[in-house]
Amino acid sequence: MDFKNLYKSLPEGGYTHGYIPRPVAVVCVKENPFTVAHHTPVNKDPFIYAISVDKNNYSYKLMLESEDFTINFLPFDFLKEVDTIGKTHGNEVNKWQLTGLSYHKSQTVSSVLIPNSLIIYECVKLNHIEFEDHCLFFGKVVMKHYIKGKLKPGKVRYLLFHGKNYYSTNKKPKKI
Ligand SMILES: Cc1cc2nc3c(=O)[nH]c(=O)nc-3n(C[C@H](O)[C@H](O)[C@H](O)COP(=O)(O)O)c2cc1C
């Protein structure tokens, strides 16, 4: 195999993620929403979820202060709103007014949630790990909300982010 001809190989340094699509979520901390693509489930029982937060974001300060946050998975139809939430800062603009989205009180935590989401996790903050430019926050999912009638694999359209302003959605999945 001619590996060198097949691949462009880059040494450490200079972030690049290769356009691998990632599901997009909007995290609300207190009343401020911000968009995240870097998030993952980390434990099943208890259900623990982690989000990676850029330290330049206004939300980073809020995440340090807050005892909780919510993770909201909006469908592909909300691409414009989610993109705007991910390109504006809550200490400069009111993102609710800007996008026309509204928030709702959560059931178990003080941070708000976003109706119209397909899935919503209410999380109690557990701990965080600081890295150079990002901080990984871990939350215990204490309440989950699943929208009724819209989550069938053949029906649901998630919002996927490929980097560099490219978005897509899933096609009908193939069951094996
Ligand atoms: C599709 C998309 C994905 C993003 N993913 C992340 C992420 O994983 N972590 C992060 O900290 N910021 C991410 N951002 C950037 C923040 O959402 C953005 O900086 C936002 O303006 C922060 O808002 P705030 O200053 O009100 O906290 C993403 C933005 C977009 C558009």
Side-chain angles (χ1 to χ4, degrees), residues 17 19-22 160-167:
H17 196 52
Y19 299 105
I20 299 169
R22 303 188 57 79
L160 307 173
F161 181 58
H162 297 242
K164 304 239 183 335
N165 286 323
Y166 282 96
Y167 290 90

Side-chain angles (χ1 to χ4, degrees), residues 28-32 62-63 65-72 96 103-114 121-125 140 142-143 145:
C28 294
V29 52
K30 299 187 181 182
E31 285 183 10
N32 191 56
L62 299 181
M63 286 294 296
E65 288 170 6
S66 178
E67 287 179 2
D68 54 59
F69 55 94
T70 67
I71 308 175
N72 304 265
W96 305 110
Y103 60 78
H104 194 271
K105 202 170 160 322
S106 293
Q107 283 185 8
T108 58
V109 299
S110 61
S111 295
V112 300
L113 56 76
I114 309 180
Y121 296 149
E122 297 186 15
C123 302
V124 169
K125 193 177 75 180
K140 183 170 154 184
V142 291
M143 180 63 72
H145 306 283

